[in-house]
Amino acid sequence: MSHATIPTAGGDPGAAPRRGPDPAALERWLPVAVWVLAMLHALVWLDRGWFPHDLGSVAHPAQRVLLGELPHRDFDDVYTGGLACLNAVGFRVLGDGAMSARWVLLAAYAAWVPVVWALARRLARPWLAAAATLLAASWTLPVYAEAMPSWYNLFLATASLWALVRFADGGGRRWIFWAG
């Protein structure tokens, strides 16, 4: 980490300067480092763990959507149907392998980590916010990386909380819309 010379209080040029991390650089680079660490940790665990019934409950409906069928009209889906459509897009773009749904989940996770950082940073100093964000991130995909709807529920609930906080800060009514 780069260090900058920070003048003492009062700006006395004769006083010995103290050294410490540049607060602006810390605010700029620490969230990036946290995101990179969280992504690397998730990537290590992304292809591990496999429970056939979980993969089947998310992959089979996606395959049926790719065949032109609609959830709850043409077949029974244990979830609402949105996940089947999302995973079908993943299958179309990435192929219909078992990892495709996990790659889509990883993309959602990649968007979620900065939101957790933003919420944690409102409550804590940078290093504590970094620790809290990494702790939250380590208890998601690295624990179980199957593209279950509960992960998307967590990610969307966190984004809704962030939108509500933005509204409470006086950000305007549009944040209520984005909060859902």
Side-chain angles (χ1 to χ4, degrees):
M1 176 174 289
S2 66
H3 288 34
T5 303
I6 300 172
T8 59
D12 181 9
R18 64 182 172 95
R19 296 180 53 83
D22 177 18
L26 187 67
E27 286 290 335
R28 192 171 43 254
W29 292 106
L30 189 57
V32 173
V34 165
W35 185 84
V36 167
L37 286 172
M39 291 301 292
L40 288 174
H41 191 211
L43 279 169
V44 167
W45 295 98
L46 192 64
D47 65 345
R48 299 186 188 179
W50 182 69
F51 294 93
H53 58 277
D54 284 346
L55 179 59
S57 70
V58 296
H60 184 67
Q63 289 174 328
R64 293 188 71 167
V65 168
L66 283 177
L67 295 173
E69 298 179 35
L70 289 176
H72 307 295
R73 185 190 76 182
D74 300 320
F75 64 93
D76 291 329
D77 189 359
V78 295
Y79 301 116
T80 61
L83 185 61
C85 295
L86 179 65
N87 286 330
V89 170
F91 283 8
R92 171 85 36 130
V93 172
L94 302 169
D96 63 354
M99 285 297 293
S100 295
R102 290 184 179 202
W103 287 114
V104 172
L105 179 65
L106 184 69
Y109 173 85
W112 173 76
V113 171
V115 176
V116 174
W117 163 266
L119 289 169
R121 185 60 187 96
R122 291 180 56 85
L123 301 172
R125 295 180 186 265
W127 291 108
L128 188 55
T133 302
L134 288 172
L135 180 64
S138 69
W139 277 97
T140 56
L141 295 195
V143 172
Y144 187 59
E146 200 58 71
M148 302 306 293
S150 54
W151 291 132
Y152 293 103
N153 290 342
L154 172 68
F155 300 159
L156 291 172
T158 306
S160 291
L161 176 61
W162 181 70
L164 288 173
V165 167
R166 294 294 307 261
F167 171 75
D169 286 344
R173 291 185 183 176
R174 72 176 184 262
W175 292 107
I176 289 291
F177 172 80
W178 290 114

mmCIF file of all heavy atoms in Angstrom, residues 38 41-43 45-46 109 137-145 151:
data_model
loop_
_atom_site.group_PDB
_atom_site.id
_atom_site.type_symbol
_atom_site.label_atom_id
_atom_site.label_comp_id
_atom_site.label_asym_id
_atom_site.label_seq_id
_atom_site.Cartn_x
_atom_site.Cartn_y
_atom_site.Cartn_z
ATOM 1 N N ALA A 38 -12.872 -11.629 -2.755
ATOM 2 C CA ALA A 38 -14.143 -12.365 -2.690
ATOM 3 C C ALA A 38 -14.362 -13.189 -3.958
ATOM 4 O O ALA A 38 -14.802 -14.348 -3.893
ATOM 5 C CB ALA A 38 -15.302 -11.391 -2.477
ATOM 6 N N HIS A 41 -11.986 -16.197 -3.965
ATOM 7 C CA HIS A 41 -12.455 -17.202 -3.012
ATOM 8 C C HIS A 41 -13.643 -17.968 -3.584
ATOM 9 O O HIS A 41 -13.726 -19.196 -3.465
ATOM 10 C CB HIS A 41 -12.808 -16.531 -1.687
ATOM 11 C CG HIS A 41 -13.054 -17.479 -0.583
ATOM 12 N ND1 HIS A 41 -13.933 -17.198 0.434
ATOM 13 C CD2 HIS A 41 -12.561 -18.709 -0.296
ATOM 14 C CE1 HIS A 41 -13.956 -18.220 1.278
ATOM 15 N NE2 HIS A 41 -13.134 -19.141 0.851
ATOM 16 N N ALA A 42 -14.560 -17.257 -4.208
ATOM 17 C CA ALA A 42 -15.722 -17.925 -4.808
ATOM 18 C C ALA A 42 -15.302 -18.818 -5.974
ATOM 19 O O ALA A 42 -15.833 -19.925 -6.132
ATOM 20 C CB ALA A 42 -16.741 -16.885 -5.270
ATOM 21 N N LEU A 43 -14.365 -18.354 -6.781
ATOM 22 C CA LEU A 43 -13.918 -19.148 -7.927
ATOM 23 C C LEU A 43 -13.283 -20.469 -7.503
ATOM 24 O O LEU A 43 -13.454 -21.483 -8.176
ATOM 25 C CB LEU A 43 -12.931 -18.351 -8.778
ATOM 26 C CG LEU A 43 -13.559 -17.361 -9.739
ATOM 27 C CD1 LEU A 43 -12.499 -16.439 -10.327
ATOM 28 C CD2 LEU A 43 -14.313 -18.077 -10.840
ATOM 29 N N TRP A 45 -14.148 -22.321 -5.085
ATOM 30 C CA TRP A 45 -15.195 -23.249 -4.652
ATOM 31 C C TRP A 45 -16.323 -23.420 -5.659
ATOM 32 O O TRP A 45 -17.243 -24.207 -5.424
ATOM 33 C CB TRP A 45 -15.783 -22.772 -3.320
ATOM 34 C CG TRP A 45 -14.779 -22.815 -2.233
ATOM 35 C CD1 TRP A 45 -14.022 -21.784 -1.764
ATOM 36 C CD2 TRP A 45 -14.397 -23.964 -1.471
ATOM 37 N NE1 TRP A 45 -13.191 -22.214 -0.767
ATOM 38 C CE2 TRP A 45 -13.404 -23.554 -0.565
ATOM 39 C CE3 TRP A 45 -14.795 -25.301 -1.485
ATOM 40 C CZ2 TRP A 45 -12.808 -24.428 0.324
ATOM 41 C CZ3 TRP A 45 -14.195 -26.165 -0.595
ATOM 42 C CH2 TRP A 45 -13.220 -25.735 0.295
ATOM 43 N N LEU A 46 -16.280 -22.692 -6.771
ATOM 44 C CA LEU A 46 -17.417 -22.677 -7.692
ATOM 45 C C LEU A 46 -17.743 -24.047 -8.274
ATOM 46 O O LEU A 46 -18.911 -24.384 -8.460
ATOM 47 C CB LEU A 46 -17.155 -21.673 -8.821
ATOM 48 C CG LEU A 46 -18.357 -21.348 -9.695
ATOM 49 C CD1 LEU A 46 -19.441 -20.659 -8.888
ATOM 50 C CD2 LEU A 46 -17.928 -20.485 -10.868
ATOM 51 N N TYR A 109 -23.318 -12.704 -7.910
ATOM 52 C CA TYR A 109 -22.456 -12.553 -6.730
ATOM 53 C C TYR A 109 -21.484 -11.399 -6.924
ATOM 54 O O TYR A 109 -21.253 -10.600 -6.010
ATOM 55 C CB TYR A 109 -21.721 -13.873 -6.504
ATOM 56 C CG TYR A 109 -20.661 -13.884 -5.447
ATOM 57 C CD1 TYR A 109 -20.986 -14.103 -4.117
ATOM 58 C CD2 TYR A 109 -19.322 -13.731 -5.782
ATOM 59 C CE1 TYR A 109 -19.997 -14.150 -3.141
ATOM 60 C CE2 TYR A 109 -18.329 -13.781 -4.819
ATOM 61 C CZ TYR A 109 -18.674 -13.992 -3.498
ATOM 62 O OH TYR A 109 -17.699 -14.040 -2.538
ATOM 63 N N ALA A 137 -19.220 -12.482 2.268
ATOM 64 C CA ALA A 137 -18.960 -13.153 0.993
ATOM 65 C C ALA A 137 -18.525 -14.599 1.205
ATOM 66 O O ALA A 137 -18.888 -15.480 0.423
ATOM 67 C CB ALA A 137 -17.896 -12.381 0.210
ATOM 68 N N SER A 138 -17.770 -14.850 2.254
ATOM 69 C CA SER A 138 -17.274 -16.218 2.479
ATOM 70 C C SER A 138 -18.374 -17.166 2.935
ATOM 71 O O SER A 138 -18.207 -18.377 2.867
ATOM 72 C CB SER A 138 -16.131 -16.202 3.487
ATOM 73 O OG SER A 138 -16.603 -15.877 4.773
ATOM 74 N N TRP A 139 -19.497 -16.630 3.382
ATOM 75 C CA TRP A 139 -20.608 -17.482 3.815
ATOM 76 C C TRP A 139 -21.676 -17.631 2.738
ATOM 77 O O TRP A 139 -22.809 -18.004 3.019
ATOM 78 C CB TRP A 139 -21.234 -16.941 5.099
ATOM 79 C CG TRP A 139 -20.451 -17.392 6.282
ATOM 80 C CD1 TRP A 139 -19.491 -16.688 6.934
ATOM 81 C CD2 TRP A 139 -20.521 -18.667 6.920
ATOM 82 N NE1 TRP A 139 -18.961 -17.446 7.937
ATOM 83 C CE2 TRP A 139 -19.576 -18.671 7.968
ATOM 84 C CE3 TRP A 139 -21.273 -19.814 6.708
ATOM 85 C CZ2 TRP A 139 -19.381 -19.764 8.778
ATOM 86 C CZ3 TRP A 139 -21.082 -20.891 7.533
ATOM 87 C CH2 TRP A 139 -20.142 -20.857 8.551
ATOM 88 N N THR A 140 -21.322 -17.341 1.503
ATOM 89 C CA THR A 140 -22.284 -17.523 0.411
ATOM 90 C C THR A 140 -21.784 -18.592 -0.543
ATOM 91 O O THR A 140 -21.840 -19.768 -0.226
ATOM 92 C CB THR A 140 -22.551 -16.182 -0.312
ATOM 93 O OG1 THR A 140 -21.308 -15.642 -0.769
ATOM 94 C CG2 THR A 140 -23.225 -15.184 0.602
ATOM 95 N N LEU A 141 -21.304 -18.213 -1.706
ATOM 96 C CA LEU A 141 -20.916 -19.201 -2.713
ATOM 97 C C LEU A 141 -19.862 -20.199 -2.251
ATOM 98 O O LEU A 141 -19.958 -21.372 -2.611
ATOM 99 C CB LEU A 141 -20.434 -18.515 -3.987
ATOM 100 C CG LEU A 141 -21.469 -17.704 -4.749
ATOM 101 C CD1 LEU A 141 -20.981 -17.398 -6.149
ATOM 102 C CD2 LEU A 141 -22.798 -18.380 -4.805
ATOM 103 N N PRO A 142 -18.863 -19.797 -1.487
ATOM 104 C CA PRO A 142 -17.905 -20.810 -1.049
ATOM 105 C C PRO A 142 -18.531 -21.914 -0.185
ATOM 106 O O PRO A 142 -18.007 -23.017 -0.117
ATOM 107 C CB PRO A 142 -16.872 -20.012 -0.257
ATOM 108 C CG PRO A 142 -16.928 -18.651 -0.852
ATOM 109 C CD PRO A 142 -18.384 -18.440 -1.172
ATOM 110 N N VAL A 143 -19.658 -21.637 0.450
ATOM 111 C CA VAL A 143 -20.322 -22.654 1.255
ATOM 112 C C VAL A 143 -21.069 -23.638 0.366
ATOM 113 O O VAL A 143 -20.961 -24.850 0.535
ATOM 114 C CB VAL A 143 -21.286 -21.998 2.281
ATOM 115 C CG1 VAL A 143 -22.111 -23.039 2.986
ATOM 116 C CG2 VAL A 143 -20.503 -21.162 3.276
ATOM 117 N N TYR A 144 -21.838 -23.124 -0.567
ATOM 118 C CA TYR A 144 -22.601 -23.983 -1.474
ATOM 119 C C TYR A 144 -22.889 -23.204 -2.743
ATOM 120 O O TYR A 144 -23.684 -22.269 -2.740
ATOM 121 C CB TYR A 144 -23.901 -24.454 -0.815
ATOM 122 C CG TYR A 144 -24.646 -25.471 -1.647
ATOM 123 C CD1 TYR A 144 -24.049 -26.664 -2.002
ATOM 124 C CD2 TYR A 144 -25.926 -25.223 -2.091
ATOM 125 C CE1 TYR A 144 -24.715 -27.597 -2.773
ATOM 126 C CE2 TYR A 144 -26.610 -26.152 -2.852
ATOM 127 C CZ TYR A 144 -25.993 -27.339 -3.192
ATOM 128 O OH TYR A 144 -26.645 -28.256 -3.967
ATOM 129 N N ALA A 145 -22.239 -23.589 -3.818
ATOM 130 C CA ALA A 145 -22.260 -22.792 -5.041
ATOM 131 C C ALA A 145 -23.330 -23.213 -6.041
ATOM 132 O O ALA A 145 -23.253 -22.827 -7.199
ATOM 133 C CB ALA A 145 -20.886 -22.838 -5.698
ATOM 134 N N TRP A 151 -29.983 -17.915 -3.010
ATOM 135 C CA TRP A 151 -28.870 -16.981 -3.217
ATOM 136 C C TRP A 151 -29.358 -15.719 -3.902
ATOM 137 O O TRP A 151 -28.980 -14.612 -3.515
ATOM 138 C CB TRP A 151 -27.756 -17.625 -4.032
ATOM 139 C CG TRP A 151 -27.004 -18.705 -3.325
ATOM 140 C CD1 TRP A 151 -26.700 -19.942 -3.819
ATOM 141 C CD2 TRP A 151 -26.462 -18.676 -2.003
ATOM 142 N NE1 TRP A 151 -26.010 -20.670 -2.887
ATOM 143 C CE2 TRP A 151 -25.846 -19.914 -1.754
ATOM 144 C CE3 TRP A 151 -26.436 -17.732 -0.989
ATOM 145 C CZ2 TRP A 151 -25.217 -20.225 -0.561
ATOM 146 C CZ3 TRP A 151 -25.804 -18.032 0.204
ATOM 147 C CH2 TRP A 151 -25.204 -19.262 0.406
#
